[in-house]
Amino acid sequence: MPQPVQDACQWLLRRDPEPMSGAEAGTCVAAAMAAGEGGIQTLQTDTSWLPADTYTIRFATGPGFAMTLQGTDGKIAVNIRDGQRVLRKNDKDITADPRGSAEESYAAVLADAAELTVRPDKVAGLLSPAPEVAVRYGVPLEGAACTQISGNFDTTADGSEGPQETDSSAVLPAGSFSLWLDDYYRPVRIEISGLNQGIVSTITAVNAQWGTRALP
């Protein structure tokens, strides 16, 4: 196991049964994802930010983040590489820019949603607001024993005065998550449920393989 992952995941390496903080869980998973180099993910969602569909994501987590997302109907694709984020919709390329035109702002929202389950810092930002994260060891998942972490998050407030903003807040402001981690603490399954404009929405992501920069 890479040293940065060992350093960030001491709680899990000790197999401590007590809950950990959301910040500690996020730091651990982000380090494991970054060390994992990348992979291929199948994403199912019914949120209104990312149109309901099943998507294939090919991504690289290091040394620089890059990804491509493609829906089954071929109408929407998101490409992120070298700091450039582009939405391809109906055979038209739209640069993602939250401060740009209506089309560019919409593209930025979709790019944020596309990154949520594959970009290490976005996953950390999702977990970090949780007051505590429960841990279970040796949880079976398709024949493998995984470490499962789960908790509730609220990216709109942290109990202090004023709202708390995170990279994930535009997608799901409040809800719950469960992650199944492999022996290297990389997510093999992510389930997120939360409120999206007052409607309960769900995201399920399955990482079919790790350890490859699976980009076309």
Side-chain angles (χ1 to χ4, degrees):
M1 182 180 294
Q3 191 63 47
V5 181
Q6 295 184 49
D7 293 342
C9 301
Q10 285 296 310
W11 197 281
L12 300 183
L13 285 168
R14 294 195 305 263
R15 297 183 70 85
D16 196 316
E18 298 301 318
M20 69 176 82
S21 70
E24 184 171 10
T27 299
C28 169
V29 174
M33 293 178 69
E37 296 185 356
I40 300 174
Q41 182 179 100
T42 300
L43 177 71
Q44 292 180 312
T45 177
D46 64 359
T47 71
S48 59
W49 296 121
L50 198 61
D53 199 355
T54 298
Y55 299 89
T56 297
I57 303 178
R58 299 175 180 272
F59 64 100
T61 57
F65 178 78
M67 63 163 284
T68 63
L69 173 145
Q70 182 73 53
T72 54
D73 60 10
K75 294 181 179 179
I76 286 182
V78 174
N79 295 286
I80 299 173
R81 195 185 301 258
D82 299 327
Q84 300 296 313
R85 307 197 304 166
V86 177
L87 167 69
R88 186 167 183 80
K89 183 178 180 183
N90 298 327
D91 297 323
K92 178 182 178 182
D93 287 343
I94 306 168
T95 300
D97 182 355
R99 297 177 180 82
S101 66
E103 275 192 330
E104 291 170 337
S105 297
Y106 174 69
V109 169
L110 291 190
D112 285 344
E115 293 177 331
L116 183 63
T117 55
V118 292
R119 187 162 192 151
D121 60 321
K122 291 293 182 73
V123 176
L126 180 74
L127 274 56
S128 293
E132 64 177 33
V133 176
V135 186
R136 296 173 60 206
Y137 301 96
V139 177
L141 179 67
E142 297 184 355
C146 297
T147 298
Q148 183 184 22
I149 61 174
S150 57
N152 298 312
F153 61 87
D154 181 353
T155 60
T156 60
D158 63 358
S160 60
E161 294 183 5
Q164 178 190 31
E165 296 294 337
T166 75
D167 289 338
S168 305
S169 62
V171 181
L172 293 171
S176 62
F177 59 82
S178 285
L179 284 74
W180 287 257
L181 311 177
D182 66 11
D183 290 343
Y184 296 94
Y185 304 134
R186 303 170 301 194
V188 291
R189 183 179 180 89
I190 301 173
E191 293 182 357
I192 304 167
S193 178
L195 291 176
N196 184 341
Q197 298 181 337
I199 301 172
V200 176
S201 302
T202 60
I203 297 170
T204 301
V206 176
N207 290 311
Q209 65 184 82
W210 277 98
T212 177
R213 292 172 58 87
L215 290 170

